[in-house]
Amino acid sequence: MTNCDMCGKNVEEIFESIIEGSMLKVCNACSSYGKVVSVKKINTENKKEKLKLSEQLKKSLNETYIDSIVVDYNNIIKEAREKKGLKQDELAKIAGERESVIQNLESKKLELNLGLARKLESILSVILVEKSENRLYENKINLKDGALTIGDLLDIKKKEHANKKTTGY
Ligand SMILES: [Zn+2]
């Protein structure tokens, strides 16, 4: 951490500025008092570490993500099927479904279930299932800000444990 020479604030971006004739290392706000000669980003390593940690946490939190069907599955199926030169009844046969199922999926009259989605994914080489955050944790942590700590993880693990206990899972 580096402190601003003027206000003493901890900053991640330091501005080398000439203020009233002397070279000072100041924060963005204080740099407006003088002439900035160079800008140095500090703590970038630290930030990277945080990001890496965040990725690890995401991985370990995988179970808090749930599978959900992509919104435009109908178009994806239709386009991929046509690309492969398959007719609706042909795709139906391969997937072991009725032709009406494919028809209704492509016109979005039928909701795609996870099992069929997986099947169609491998037949058509498309992605129909997405991971989305489980609502249980959505409001408690923000994985995007990269500010998760080991403490957060332990806290989450504790909660998970408690959840599993109560549900007998
Ligand atoms: Zn300052």
Side-chain angles (χ1 to χ4, degrees):
M1 271 294 172
T2 299
N3 297 325
C4 166
D5 284 344
M6 279 186 85
C7 67
K9 207 172 80 179
N10 268 338
V11 285
E12 294 194 339
E13 202 176 32
I14 204 87
F15 293 74
E16 288 187 329
S17 310
I18 296 169
I19 297 167
E20 291 177 349
S22 48
M23 178 78 112
L24 295 173
K25 291 185 171 105
V26 296
C27 69
N28 193 6
C30 297
S31 71
S32 62
Y33 293 111
K35 189 177 180 302
V36 178
V37 290
S38 80
V39 181
K40 275 184 189 162
K41 290 238 182 218
I42 57 154
N43 265 350
T44 46
E45 279 311 304
N46 201 348
K47 255 190 176 171
K48 262 187 220 159
E49 280 300 306
K50 267 190 184 171
L51 268 173
K52 228 166 82 186
L53 180 63
S54 189
E55 284 301 314
Q56 283 167 357
L57 283 166
K58 263 190 207 176
K59 265 183 208 160
S60 69
L61 285 170
N62 209 26
E63 61 262 52
T64 70
Y65 283 72
I66 50 168
D67 292 329
S68 61
I69 305 292
V70 294
V71 186
D72 56 341
Y73 64 86
N74 54 319
N75 295 322
I76 294 170
I77 293 169
K78 188 169 189 294
E79 273 169 35
R81 175 180 59 74
E82 286 169 350
K83 241 191 206 168
K84 295 225 172 218
L86 291 170
K87 294 204 177 74
Q88 286 182 330
D89 66 310
E90 289 170 327
L91 175 59
K93 217 180 263 177
I94 297 167
E97 297 289 338
R98 276 168 296 151
E99 188 183 347
S100 62
V101 170
I102 303 299
Q103 274 170 4
N104 288 333
L105 284 175
E106 290 187 3
S107 55
K108 229 176 178 176
K109 280 179 199 149
L110 181 69
E111 203 133 339
L112 181 58
N113 68 53
L114 216 57
L116 184 53
R118 294 286 188 212
K119 225 191 277 178
L120 291 173
E121 273 187 332
S122 64
I123 295 167
L124 298 168
S125 338
V126 289
I127 289 173
L128 296 166
V129 182
E130 275 180 338
K131 292 242 180 252
S132 58
E133 263 174 273
N134 189 333
R135 295 198 167 272
L136 188 65
Y137 298 105
E138 211 164 64
N139 299 323
K140 289 176 191 151
I141 50 165
N142 181 5
L143 287 170
K144 283 165 203 101
D145 69 5
L148 273 176
T149 63
I150 288 290
D152 292 332
L153 178 61
L154 291 175
D155 205 34
I156 289 157
K157 285 287 177 197
K158 252 185 246 161
K159 277 175 196 149
E160 257 172 23
H161 195 64
N163 279 334
K164 277 176 186 167
K165 255 188 191 163
T166 52
T167 56
Y169 186 49

